[in-house]
Amino acid sequence: VPRLKIKMRGANVPQNVLRDVLQVSYSDNVKELDSFEFTVNNWDANKREFKYVGSETTSSVTRNPLHQLFTPSRHEVEVAMGYANHLTLMTKGHLTTMEPAFPSSGGPTLTVRGLNVLHKLRTKQFTYAWPPNKRESEIAKSLGTLTDPDPQAKGKKRFPLPIEIDDNALSREQPIIYVAQDNQHDIDFLLSRARRIGYAVFIKEEEHENGRVTKERRLYFGPSDANHPGLRLVTFELK
């Protein structure tokens, strides 16, 4: 039997909420950020009112946490899918949109959509040109050290996370005569550079040892591994 698990702020959603989930889907795309979507029953048959969106008032929002449960960008969400006790974490991300539906037959539903955690790195677009003869990993590494040229930013770093690269991969890369970023979010620029050479881009969470943080949260740019595959150098023949 298919199973799913949804966590918000690191805690499992209550069983009464999970039972309202009618459908879950996860989309992985080499050209876009990973996304997820779930459809939820939005009707309380006992109270005869909308359960999540549609019945909230100024006072009920504080009394009933369900009215804010699916508010976009409010909580970090984890979606795991699988069978029986074998669940796989598909993605971590944030809710971005809610779409209620009121069908002529059947109860009202709510479709909730979200993007993986990289979406939160889309804060500002930049234009910048790198010095000539830089390699891909050098460009990615240096992007993590650049500051926002806007005087109001007061020297704030453009990218909120440090960027980790693979030194062995760097030694195999070829210098590029000219590379420019043209009015792009930094994360979208990194994803486009990674796709060009089949690299993966993903968040590495904090690492702990003896209760202490040994490595902070960071963005990885480099060759793929079994858990974070990039573009595989495989040719498929369809008949």
Side-chain angles (χ1 to χ4, degrees):
V1 176
R3 282 189 63 228
L4 67 129
K5 180 186 291 185
I6 299 173
K7 287 186 175 182
M8 292 188 177
R9 292 186 298 180
N12 294 332
V13 298
Q15 281 297 317
N16 62 317
V17 175
L18 199 60
R19 281 193 289 267
D20 280 332
V21 178
L22 306 175
Q23 177 177 304
V24 176
S25 62
Y26 164 73
S27 176
D28 186 8
N29 193 316
V30 297
K31 294 184 178 180
E32 300 173 0
L33 296 183
D34 295 359
S35 62
F36 59 91
E37 173 183 308
F38 41 90
T39 303
V40 183
N41 166 50
N42 192 32
W43 183 250
D44 190 323
N46 294 326
K47 297 180 180 179
R48 299 189 62 78
E49 64 181 28
F50 300 114
K51 187 176 286 190
Y52 301 102
V53 171
S55 293
E56 65 273 18
T57 63
T58 303
S59 59
S60 71
V61 165
T62 56
R63 292 198 318 268
N64 189 348
L66 295 182
H67 289 166
Q68 289 187 303
L69 184 63
F70 298 120
T71 301
S73 299
R74 183 174 174 83
H75 311 301
E76 184 171 272
V77 180
E78 298 179 23
V79 179
M81 304 167 70
Y83 295 88
N85 295 322
H86 303 287
L87 296 179
T88 299
L89 178 63
M90 306 303 292
T91 186
K92 287 185 179 181
H94 295 85
L95 303 180
T96 55
T97 62
M98 297 188 297
E99 182 180 318
F102 308 94
S104 57
S105 61
T109 61
L110 178 68
T111 299
V112 184
R113 299 184 180 92
L115 295 171
N116 80 359
V117 69
L118 295 179
H119 168 68
K120 297 294 283 186
L121 301 179
R122 285 174 167 165
T123 54
K124 191 173 181 179
Q125 293 172 300
F126 295 96
T127 297
Y128 183 80
W130 272 264
N133 297 315
K134 291 286 186 180
R135 291 173 286 184
E136 293 286 7
S137 294
E138 286 179 314
I139 293 169
K141 184 78 172 179
S142 66
L143 192 147
T145 64
L146 297 178
T147 57
D148 189 335
D150 187 344
Q152 295 184 352
K154 299 180 180 180
K156 182 182 178 181
K157 279 191 175 183
R158 282 172 39 171
F159 203 73
L161 294 174
I163 297 176
E164 178 182 306
I165 63 172
D166 186 315
D167 292 331
N168 292 328
L170 172 64
S171 64
R172 299 190 297 267
E173 296 170 4
Q174 298 299 316
I176 306 169
I177 296 176
Y178 178 77
V179 174
Q181 179 179 347
D182 183 16
N183 197 33
Q184 286 178 288
H185 293 104
D186 286 337
I187 185 60
D188 291 332
F189 173 75
L190 286 174
L191 288 169
S192 68
R193 301 310 303 181
R195 285 197 300 270
R196 181 176 174 271
I197 54 176
Y199 278 5
V201 175
F202 57 89
I203 297 286
K204 281 190 172 182
E205 299 294 341
E206 283 184 350
E207 296 180 15
H208 301 82
E209 186 175 334
N210 298 325
R212 293 170 50 247
V213 177
T214 55
K215 287 188 177 180
E216 59 185 329
R217 199 183 204 200
R218 60 216 183 272
L219 185 90
Y220 174 79
F221 177 96
S224 59
D225 58 27
N227 295 320
H228 303 88
L231 300 180
R232 298 179 180 87
L233 299 179
V234 177
T235 299
F236 294 93
E237 180 179 343
L238 305 181
K239 294 184 179 180

